[in-house]
Structure formats: C-alpha cells, structure tokens
Amino acid sequence: MKEFTQQLLNGLAIGSVYALVAVGYTLVFGVLRFINFAHGSVLTFAAYVSLFGMLALKLPFAVAFGGSLVVSGLFSIMVERQAYRPLRLQGAPNLNLLITSIGVSLLVENAIIVFYSADFFVFPKVLSSSTISLGGVATIPPVDLLLTGVAITLMVLLYVFVNYTKMGVAIQALAYDRDAAALMGININLAIAYTFFIAGTMASAAGVLIGMKFNVNPYLGGLFGVKSFAAAVVGGIGSIPGSYLGGYLIGILETMGAGYVSSNYKDAIAFVLLVLILLFKPSGLLGRGLQEKV
Amino acid sequence: MGFRGSSSLKAAAFALVTVMLAGVLSGCGGGSSEIKIGCFYPLTGANAAKGQFNKNGTQLAIDDINAAGGLLGKKVVPVYEDTQSKKENVPNVVRKLIEQDKAVALMGEVASSNSIAAGPVVKQLKVPAIAPTSTNPKVVMDPEDVTKLNPFYFRACFIDPLQGAVLANFVSKNLNKTKAALLYNIAQDYNKGLAQFFKERFQKNGGTIIAEETYPDQTQDFKPQLTKIKEANPEAIIIPNTYAENGLILRQAKELGINAIFLAGDASHAPKLIEIGGDGAEGVYLTTLYAPDDPDPKAQAFAKKYRDKFKEEPNSNACFSYEAMMVIGEAVKKAGKAEPQAIRDAMENVKDIEVPSGKFTMDPKTHNPLNKPVVVIQVKGNGFVFVTKVTPE
C-alpha cells in the first residue's frame, strides 16, 4: 500500500506535465486541424528563457517564471504568424503545416544547441529540497506539489476562459466551423493568435517546472512532447478535458507499469495505449467523432 | 514564385560547390610539416562535460610533445570533431577525420557504445584509434567477430570486468554489505556491461541482488524504479550510469528518502554529477581511473599542470586522454614515420612509458594496457575525495 501510494503520487506529478503539454496540442488541433509538432519545442524554449532570466539577468524565480510564460506565449504566436499563417492563407493542405511544424521544432532545438550548447543545465535552487512526508507512507517533493498545483489551476482558468469569455466562445466557434465563424464576424486571425498564446503559456509552465524537477537540455521537449501528443490523442484530440484525462492516464499507467510490470517497457506504455485507442476508439476517450478530410 | 525557387536553387548549388571545394583544398593543405591526430569526442550532448576534459587532457599532452620538439621533427596538430554524444554520428565523423583531415591516428570516444560504433570504420580504413576512457571489453574487439581483436583499436584505460570486480569487492569487503540493488541504462553497452560484471563478482562473494531495474536513453523520471528499489530495502545501490543520469537518480532518491549507499563507475566522475545531484550526491562512491588527490607524486604533478593551465580540477578523462596521446606519440617515434599502418604496429609494442597514473605497457594480445590500477573516490562536500587504490595482480 505504501509503495502504491508513492507510485500514484509519482504518476500524478509526471501526468501533470503530460496534461499541460497535451492541452496545447488539443487547442491548436481544435482551431487549425493539424498537429503542431513544434509545440514540444516551445516547452524547451520556455525552460531556457526562465533559466536565462535567473542565471544571466538574476531575476527572482516568480518574475522569471511569469516572464517566461509571456515570452513563450508570444513565441508561440510568432511561430504561427511566420510559419503557419502564410501557408494557411495560401490554402495549403494541412499536411504542409504539419511538415512545417516538424521543421520549426528542429530549428528551435538546433538553435538552442548553437547559442546555448547542448550541455545539461541545472536550475537554480528555488524550492527547498527537503521533501514533505505524508505520514511516513509516501514523500512528495515541493516541486511536484507546485507542478500539480499549477496544472490544475491552469486547467480551471482555461475552462473559465473558454466557456465564459467572448474570445473563448469565439475560439469554440472557430473550432466548430471556421468559415461560419468568420461569417459571424469573428476575427479568425486574432482568435488563432489567442489560441497559440494559451497553448504556448501552458507548455511554458510545463517546461519551466520540468526544468526544475529534472534538468534543462535541448532535447527536453522531445520525449515529453511525443508522450504528451499520445496523451492528447488518447484523451480525444480537440477535447480539453480529454487531454487532461489522457495526460494523467498515461502518467499514472506508465509509472504503475514500471513499478509493477517491468521498467523496460515504461516508455512503450504510452505508445501501446495510443495504438489501442486508435484501433478501438479513434476519436479518443472524450473526443467527438469528426469528419476529417485529409 | 518560379523565379524565386530557381534563384534559391542556384544559391544552394553554389554554396554546395564552395563547401566541396573548401573540403578538397583543406585536404590538400597541411602537407608534411604537421602530424594530424584526429580526436572524436562528445563536445556537446549528454556526455559534453566529459568530452571537454578529454579535449583539455589531449591538448595538454600535445603541448608537452610539441614543447619537447614535436614528433620526427614535425609539429603535432589535433583535429577535434564533435560526435554530439550520439552513436549514429560516429561513423561519419571518423570517416571525415581520416579521409578529409588525413589524420594518421585517432583518439576517441568517451562512451563505449560510441567507440564501438567507430570500430568498423577504423578497421576498414586502416587507421589506428585509441579510446582513452571507454571501458567496455567490446571496444577493441572485431565488429564482425567479437572473439577476435580489432587490429586497429586500442585502449588506454582498464576494462569493466576489472572495474565491476573492484566495485563488488569494495561493497562486500570494505563496506561489509550483502544486499545490493542495480539501476542502469539498458540502451548503453557500458552501463549494461558494468552492471553484469558487478553482479557476477558480487554473487561470487556471497552477496545477493535483491532488485534490478533498468531504463532507456533520455529517461529523466526515475521515481517509479527507485520507489520499487526502496521497497526491496537494499544496503547498497549500484548505478553504473553517466553523470547526468546519476545526478538525477541521486536527487530523486534523496526525495524518496532512500538511505542506502550509492556506488557508480568512472562515467560519473565529473563535477556536473554533484551539481545535478545536489545534496543527494553526498557520500556516493565511484570507481575511476585517476584521482587528482591520489598520493602518488606523478598523479599530483599532472594535477598541478592541469590546474595551472585550465583553472579546474582534472578528472580521469583528462588524465587518460593525456596518457593516450602520449602512447600515440611514443608509437610514432617507434615507427619512425607518420604512417597509419606503421603507427599501429608500433602501438602494439609500447612498453614502460611513464604516465601520470603509473607505467604504461600495451598488451599486444588484448590491446589493453597492463596493470592499470582502479581508484575509489567518494563525493564529500563539493568535490571528490580519494579513498583507496586497487592494483590488479
């Protein structure tokens, strides 16, 4: 029981990361109907931005974290404007957007290697390293609490934004039918920019917190990005609660799998789940079936 | 659109031609006044902190050789290439060093898997290579038949069966522990090999392995494995992994409140281990090739020389790259000409040269040096402290 509780907490912490990143895949897919593979690199970018803020500019953590959320959101918008919008306005097929996004992610990764070296960086100590003991049953480090807290807070904020603000409703309308939304007077480009900004800040929160929990390196977005993508599809791509469900499901299942089955297959679990979902419920656990022309 | 496309195509073609010409010209240049030594090291990526030490150690040796008049009256010039710590980059990098830079001998890599990846190329192109710090037995073996030697691969350090045995004896005899657990990277030959050799000797000593967990490359979350190991309650936990992975393992073990003694191998001998591991790294034992605070005066002299030049403490990578370069230097002198085949033949018979970790004699039957001692060090405060030195019989 002790081991089970600990593994559950381990799974929740890592699941929070997947959930935060997965929601970005879902949002962008919702409005543009393509998988933005550059999303994982926003996460890496954010970790470096906050690291730079703290090490080079000597900013306090809260400022560096907040700054990184804004800068990464803007970076995400810039990627959309420079790389995707020209293609979108030319009416290029979604496949072209997808390939472009892979290019963007390679560009970001390699630019970091060139300007910041490929070495591992350690985040300055912000939280105490002494862990919180839960009645001798399990331990939880402060960074995991922060991670889970941030993930849940952002989920609630996102829910409120999407359902109770004008722009949120506009984004939903856009996701439902882009042309009809445009005819109703919604500024499509603005709504898309908002979507990318939100996706970028969510990934940024994940990036900074993973950087604190582990270390910072240019490949940070790689494995976390791909697993979060699996989480988005498992939960139902296009569905915001679905991406959270998928993220926590994969986090907990792979942790339990490593703990009780075999640690050799830990990374495979996310992808086995992905294949199973695609075979038996292609729209994902909470996704609506949608008519897709590819 | 069509116009733009064709002009960018022209630009690309022009750039390509320029690059190729530059390659040809640099191939022609250099000439006979220099002896080029190709060094393929992980200067970026997962092993970057180690590769930098290898580069510094090599540079120190080349400076010493050139200060003493060079080799055969020629200046020794290193050509450094970055493998980015990736196995798949190694064959191309090695080929480039040999075919374009005309290196007569090679040094590299750090990770055993990466040195093994260089094996087929040096064998095919017939240029001798020496691995300063790759300890897996397969590094010097023929890639097609592991029972035979690769005639062109040599090594400057001890091998993992010895390191594993020393590690196991240290746990059983010095620490008096009988219950051990293992946690290692299953995708790397070094980690897998060292774990295996530890296990064999430890069980022979009467110890039991009560938990054995693995993980693949790029793993950062070791909590599931560590939680499982914690439940098994081992006295010692063996982590034969690189410094970056072990730093995270040690930090996460501390977070889980694991109190067992941790032990690792030479791949963790880098200051980054302590930087990443934080409080968790305190008290970890490592087996390694060289320690700057080894009481041996020759080791101390090397440490001083390194400190004066690079303003940091040397580690085993620095020392063994220095030694490997000295071995190449001796082989060129013995061969009397800077020609790969002759250097290879001479390298097999390098005997009794003075190096910082003692005397160096290459065993022609194994391509490994004879009687390299294993040093045990421990993390204390913010650095590594010499514990003991074991010389094989």
Side-chain angles (χ1 to χ4, degrees), chain A residues 51-181:
Chain A
L51 192 72
F52 179 78
M54 290 182 77
L55 293 182
L57 306 178
K58 308 258 179 278
L59 298 172
F61 171 70
V63 179
F65 188 25
S68 146
L69 292 184
V70 176
V71 172
S72 310
L74 293 176
F75 174 73
S76 186
I77 293 182
M78 191 199 82
V79 168
E80 193 273 326
R81 278 201 87 122
Q82 298 301 325
Y84 307 148
R85 192 183 288 183
L87 287 170
R88 188 156 55 80
L89 295 182
Q90 283 176 20
N94 286 348
L95 186 64
N96 294 19
L97 284 167
L98 186 131
I99 294 166
T100 307
S101 76
I102 294 173
V104 171
S105 90
L106 286 172
L107 182 71
V108 172
E109 192 177 279
N110 286 290
I112 288 172
I113 293 175
V114 170
F115 292 114
Y116 226 96
S117 104
D119 205 355
F120 292 74
F121 286 92
V122 182
F123 226 84
K125 205 161 170 174
V126 184
L127 299 165
S128 110
S129 56
S130 60
T131 52
I132 300 148
S133 174
L134 300 178
V137 181
T139 64
I140 181 163
V143 63
D144 283 7
L145 276 183
L146 184 64
L147 190 50
T148 316
V150 166
I152 291 171
T153 311
L154 287 180
M155 175 173 70
V156 173
L157 286 178
L158 183 64
Y159 180 81
V160 171
F161 173 80
V162 168
N163 290 304
Y164 297 99
T165 65
K166 221 170 169 183
M167 184 50 75
V169 175
I171 291 172
Q172 284 195 58
L174 186 62
Y176 199 76
D177 188 328
R178 197 195 299 170
D179 296 334

Side-chain angles (χ1 to χ4, degrees), chain B residues 4-16:
Chain B
R4 243 172 70 197
S6 74
S7 78
S8 68
L9 191 71
K10 258 188 236 163
F14 183 72
L16 193 71

Side-chain angles (χ1 to χ4, degrees), chain B residues 164-175:
Chain B
V166 170
L167 208 51
N169 288 344
F170 189 78
V171 176
S172 325
K173 290 169 190 160
N174 297 47
L175 303 174

Side-chain angles (χ1 to χ4, degrees), chain B residues 29-242:
Chain B
S32 55
S33 64
E34 291 176 340
I35 293 179
K36 284 196 175 161
I37 307 297
C39 306
F40 55 108
Y41 293 146
L43 300 176
T44 60
N47 258 328
K50 298 228 124 199
Q52 200 53 51
F53 280 106
N54 284 65
K55 191 178 169 191
N56 291 351
T58 311
Q59 196 59 51
L60 209 54
I62 288 179
D63 291 348
D64 279 2
I65 290 172
N66 286 337
L71 295 172
L72 316 173
K74 294 175 189 171
K75 220 175 122 214
V76 178
V77 180
V79 183
Y80 297 107
E81 275 293 328
D82 181 12
T83 61
Q84 299 178 340
S85 308
K86 283 183 186 158
K87 218 187 296 198
E88 58 272 24
N89 290 344
V90 171
N92 285 334
V93 162
V94 171
R95 204 168 267 281
K96 187 231 161 212
L97 285 170
I98 297 172
E99 290 180 342
Q100 278 184 40
D101 300 318
K102 312 283 178 211
V104 292
L106 301 171
M107 310 250 291
E109 219 250 14
V110 170
S112 292
S113 291
N114 295 1
S115 297
I116 291 169
V121 186
V122 301
K123 189 186 167 204
Q124 188 206 342
L125 299 178
K126 299 197 189 312
V127 171
I130 182 163
T133 49
S134 299
T135 49
N136 189 285
K138 277 189 271 175
V139 169
V140 296
M141 291 304 172
D142 192 318
E144 286 135 40
D145 179 3
V146 284
T147 60
K148 288 203 194 103
L149 280 178
N150 181 339
F152 287 89
Y153 229 118
F154 296 83
R155 148 166 46 214
C157 53
F158 57 61
I159 55 171
D160 285 330
L162 175 65
Q163 173 163 223
V166 170
L167 208 51
N169 288 344
F170 189 78
V171 176
S172 325
K173 290 169 190 160
N174 297 47
L175 303 174
N176 284 317
K177 305 293 181 200
T178 54
K179 288 192 294 178
L182 289 161
L183 174 59
Y184 58 94
N185 184 337
I186 199 157
Q188 293 289 333
D189 296 313
Y190 165 82
N191 313 47
K192 228 164 46 179
L194 190 51
Q196 192 56 41
F197 300 122
F198 170 84
K199 203 159 104 180
E200 282 165 15
R201 177 59 71 98
F202 189 64
Q203 284 168 341
K204 223 159 119 193
N205 288 348
T208 40
I209 305 288
I210 54 175
E212 187 170 350
E213 295 295 320
T214 58
Y215 61 87
D217 278 343
Q218 285 196 332
T219 300
Q220 294 205 304
D221 181 21
F222 302 94
K223 284 258 176 93
Q225 288 92 328
L226 285 169
T227 302
K228 205 169 160 188
I229 287 175
K230 189 187 176 191
E231 275 314 287
N233 205 13
E235 296 169 309
I237 302 174
I238 318 303
I239 43 173
N241 312 306
T242 57

Side-chain angles (χ1 to χ4, degrees), chain A residues 200-219:
Chain A
T201 40
M202 304 282 271
S204 162
V208 176
L209 292 163
I210 303 171
M212 284 171 72
K213 187 172 160 64
F214 306 116
N215 56 27
V216 180
N217 65 70
Y219 313 107

